[in-house]
Amino acid sequence: MTPILDVRNLVTEFATQPGNPALKAVDDVSFALNRGEILGLVGESGSGKSVTGFSIMGLVDPPGRVSQGQVLFEGRDLTGLGPADMRDLRGRRIAMVFQDPMMTLNPVLRVGTQLTETLHAHEQLSRREAWSRARDALAMVGIPSPEERMNAYPHQFSGGMRQRVAIAIAILHKPDLIIADEPTTALDVTIQAQVIHEFQRLAETANTAVIWITHDLAIVSRLADRIAVMYGGRLVESGPVADILTRPRHPYTKGLIGSVPSQNSRGQRLMQIPGMTPGLGRLPAGCAFQARCARADALCRVQPELSIEGERGYRCFHPIAEQVAGA
Ligand SMILES: Nc1ncnc2c1ncn2[C@@H]1O[C@H](COP(=O)(O)OP(=O)(O)OP(=O)(O)O)[C@@H](O)[C@H]1O
Ligand code: SF4
Ligand SMILES: [Mg+2]
């Protein structure tokens, strides 16, 4: 089966001052996604998750650029596509829920207008049909009194409500791929569960593939089929979610799992990964995790290649062999 999305050796860099090297926010990232599959993309702040999403969407603006690699969507490389073709794909076939919903919403248009215009842009349908589909989409993401709220402007919604409207816009066309960047962070737990359920339903019924970007491993373990872990612009580990969470091979993944409250028994101190992510300009030569890794040695001063074991892959010279405690 051809994956719906096949990202190959993607590099996205940002130019800095003249004379200085560009910073690689995404560095040689490869992963593939089948139809209907949900991938949890995790990693600390600044690890390159959003830039990976923007790169796939063709939304990296100068001083940034995709400098190497391919983004194959149904086998067609999007990095070579012109702006008009890319616009046609966006919204209809590929959609993104941004960390900031105002990147989707227009502040001066009523929400109903924005939803129905999105529908009219790619589909032939009557005003009445568009209105009822738009209203139903608002109901699906848990907006109370959706009929009335169609007439409101974005500023009349709370932050969490605006995010829900942005999610409704993203799912309107039942796209083949949705990149959802921290979509539920601003939402309370009940609504979060509802939105997660909606994405699962979309994956099952419309075969939509989802990249779910988050810091929250608990959500990933509930929602995702596979997980990809980023650190310092690189993908350091990926594979089926249950495998990775019970038997992480990369020390950074193990550290992330250890810092999830639900994985710790009551009263036990949360494990923290010591140190901080170094800024992109200050990454050491070799493995970016060196300074924080208990297993680091002289070998780690060169960049570890990707090791493949069945459906999983990792970049580490001294992978962990044992199962995590309590898993
Ligand atoms: N427009 C830009 N110009 C320069 N550097 C940028 C730009 N956008 C992102 N970066 C850099 O790229 C790196 C990755 O950023 P990105 O936003 O993808 O991180 P992230 O994993 O999404 O973090 P968070 O969890 O905080 O959202 C960061 O070091 C950031 O400083
Ligand atoms: S390559 Fe070395 S420094 Fe990097 S995670 Fe593995 S053991 Fe740690
Ligand atoms: Mg981000």
Side-chain angles (χ1 to χ4, degrees):
M1 180 166 59
T2 310
I4 183 82
L5 180 73
D6 191 355
V7 176
R8 294 193 184 165
N9 308 104
L10 184 72
V11 179
T12 303
E13 48 189 38
F14 289 95
T16 53
Q17 300 299 323
N20 291 330
L23 297 177
K24 287 182 179 169
V26 177
D27 190 0
D28 197 19
V29 163
S30 301
F31 63 89
L33 199 60
N34 290 319
R35 285 179 191 278
E37 216 171 28
I38 302 182
L39 173 78
L41 183 58
V42 303
E44 284 167 321
S45 204
S47 57
K49 305 180 299 294
S50 294
V51 176
T52 300
F54 295 148
S55 305
I56 295 166
M57 296 291 293
L59 293 174
V60 178
D61 294 320
R65 69 185 183 108
V66 173
S67 60
Q68 284 176 56
Q70 294 176 307
V71 174
L72 302 173
F73 180 71
E74 293 178 323
R76 182 161 67 142
D77 187 7
L78 301 188
T79 63
L81 226 55
D85 287 336
M86 205 61 219
R87 259 198 309 277
D88 182 51
L89 278 182
R90 273 198 301 264
R92 189 169 59 91
R93 309 283 317 275
I94 310 177
M96 184 155 179
V97 179
F98 297 95
Q99 256 174 312
D100 173 5
M102 290 315 286
M103 280 182 72
T104 301
L105 301 177
N106 184 333
V108 300
L109 288 182
R110 292 177 202 275
V111 155
T113 310
Q114 302 192 44
L115 284 149
T116 51
E117 278 186 357
T118 306
L119 279 168
H120 286 304
H122 297 289
E123 276 182 54
Q124 294 288 341
L125 72 183
S126 71
R127 291 170 69 115
R128 212 148 131 207
E129 274 174 305
W131 182 268
S132 72
R133 281 233 335 244
R135 183 202 50 216
D136 292 349
L138 288 184
M140 267 185 239
V141 293
I143 294 198
S145 321
E147 187 79 40
E148 287 157 42
R149 300 302 271 165
M150 290 278 280
N151 292 313
Y153 290 92
H155 71 87
Q156 294 172 304
F157 289 78
S158 69
M161 285 282 196
R162 283 201 280 265
Q163 187 59 290
R164 283 188 248 173
V165 176
I167 292 168
I169 290 177
I171 66 179
L172 267 183
H173 287 289
K174 297 189 169 54
D176 297 284
L177 171 68
I178 295 188
I179 301 173
D181 195 351
E182 302 273 4
T184 56
T185 315
L187 308 182
D188 71 47
V189 180
T190 319
I191 301 299
Q192 197 177 63
Q194 186 175 349
V195 168
I196 287 174
H197 177 72
E198 226 24 79
F199 273 84
Q200 275 170 323
R201 217 169 58 111
L202 209 58
E204 274 162 29
T205 59
N207 242 349
T208 299
V210 180
I211 299 177
W212 190 278
I213 298 177
T214 181
H215 290 94
D216 190 338
L217 274 188
I219 292 186
V220 169
S221 68
R222 286 216 315 272
L223 172 74
D225 303 300
R226 287 190 308 121
I227 183 168
V229 182
M230 288 191 77
Y231 189 84
R234 290 193 163 244
L235 214 153
V236 295
E237 177 151 26
S238 66
V241 80
D243 281 6
I244 303 282
L245 294 182
T246 52
R247 284 182 302 278
R249 301 288 268 147
H250 198 284
Y252 175 63
T253 313
K254 180 164 184 244
L256 278 184
I257 296 167
S259 54
V260 177
S262 60
Q263 300 273 338
N264 285 264
S265 52
R266 195 185 291 257
Q268 193 182 323
R269 263 173 62 108
L270 290 189
M271 187 177 137
Q272 292 289 336
I273 308 172
M276 284 175 52
T277 317
L280 279 185
R282 282 175 283 113
L283 290 184
C287 175
F289 192 52
Q290 266 170 88
R292 303 171 71 184
C293 182
R295 294 173 171 242
D297 65 10
L299 258 188
C300 310
R301 287 182 209 140
V302 294
Q303 187 58 243
E305 292 298 320
L306 187 66
S307 306
I308 306 282
E309 286 174 0
E311 285 189 79
R312 32 191 313 188
Y314 58 87
R315 285 177 188 273
C316 178
F317 290 112
H318 308 295
I320 295 161
E322 68 275 14
Q323 191 154 327
V324 292

